[in-house]
Amino acid sequence: MKILIRSTTLDGEPIPGSGETLQAADCLEVVELMRGQTPFTASRAPRDYMTEVLFGIEGGPTQPLPEEAAAAAAEFLTRLARHGLIEFLPDDKASDPWPERFLEALETVRLSGRTNMLDHPEVTRLTAEMGYPEVAAWLADHRREYAAFVLEGTRPLGKNFGDKEDPAPCADK
């Protein structure tokens, strides 16, 4: 199961085209991942977490969640989706870790020397500006995956990346 958790405005309204993806085996595992994202909610019991989140979104007394944990998690995610706060994504997207031109786009941005590759918003902006809109869209929705790639990467961002030498210094050097 894969979901996109939308970023929100200060008023709690979902921001289109924003968010972070989470992937887990089932609804209950997704809720556990969501609950663990901040130190303020990590220690709460899953049911308490879900009830508090729904109270904040729906206000007033909310319709109770089912007793069974998996059913409660499924209902919780369904209600978040109704409010536009999450989006269920097809699991087949998980098998393709990034867009086809992802490595080419990052290499182009890196070689330009216009930003530190750890500056996610700027890398996202530059990929769109440099002609890679599909990569920019992926980056906007996959901040965590991008950070993992840059920090732990499947390939180094250096001489061996694309078998090219470094013709331009990085902005952070």
Side-chain angles (χ1 to χ4, degrees):
M1 156 172 260
K2 187 174 180 179
I3 66 165
L4 172 66
I5 301 176
R6 296 257 179 239
S7 300
T8 60
T9 65
L10 295 176
D11 296 328
E13 294 299 316
I15 301 171
S18 69
E20 181 177 341
T21 58
L22 291 179
Q23 187 168 351
D26 57 35
C27 293
L28 194 54
E29 282 187 30
V30 168
V31 170
E32 289 293 333
L33 289 172
M34 292 170 70
R35 187 175 61 91
Q37 286 190 320
T38 74
F40 305 108
T41 58
S43 63
R44 300 218 193 292
R47 177 170 295 284
D48 293 341
Y49 166 74
M50 292 185 286
T51 302
E52 288 174 19
V53 168
L54 289 174
F55 181 83
I57 294 166
E58 297 174 347
T62 61
Q63 180 181 9
L65 292 168
E67 288 300 315
E68 199 266 318
E75 174 67 18
F76 171 73
L77 294 176
T78 300
R79 285 161 72 177
L80 292 181
R82 276 191 220 127
H83 290 283
L85 296 168
I86 69 165
E87 177 183 340
F88 294 98
L89 300 174
D91 287 330
D92 61 349
K93 284 189 177 181
S95 64
D96 188 13
W98 50 60
E100 185 178 329
R101 296 175 51 194
F102 177 76
L103 297 175
E104 176 187 335
L106 291 188
E107 182 72 349
T108 300
V109 170
R110 187 186 72 80
L111 291 175
S112 77
R114 292 172 58 187
T115 190
N116 180 322
M117 296 304 287
L118 296 174
D119 186 349
H120 177 265
E122 185 63 9
V123 169
T124 302
R125 187 187 73 72
L126 287 171
T127 55
E129 181 182 297
M130 294 178 168
Y132 300 95
E134 72 285 357
V135 175
W138 186 89
L139 287 170
D141 290 340
H142 295 85
R143 170 173 249 152
R144 183 175 286 178
E145 291 90 336
Y146 174 72
F149 173 79
V150 171
L151 297 174
E152 304 163 10
T154 57
R155 299 183 192 183
L157 290 174
K159 179 180 176 187
N160 296 328
F161 190 75
D163 290 331
K164 297 178 183 176
E165 293 292 330
D166 286 337
C170 280
D172 62 344
K173 289 185 182 176

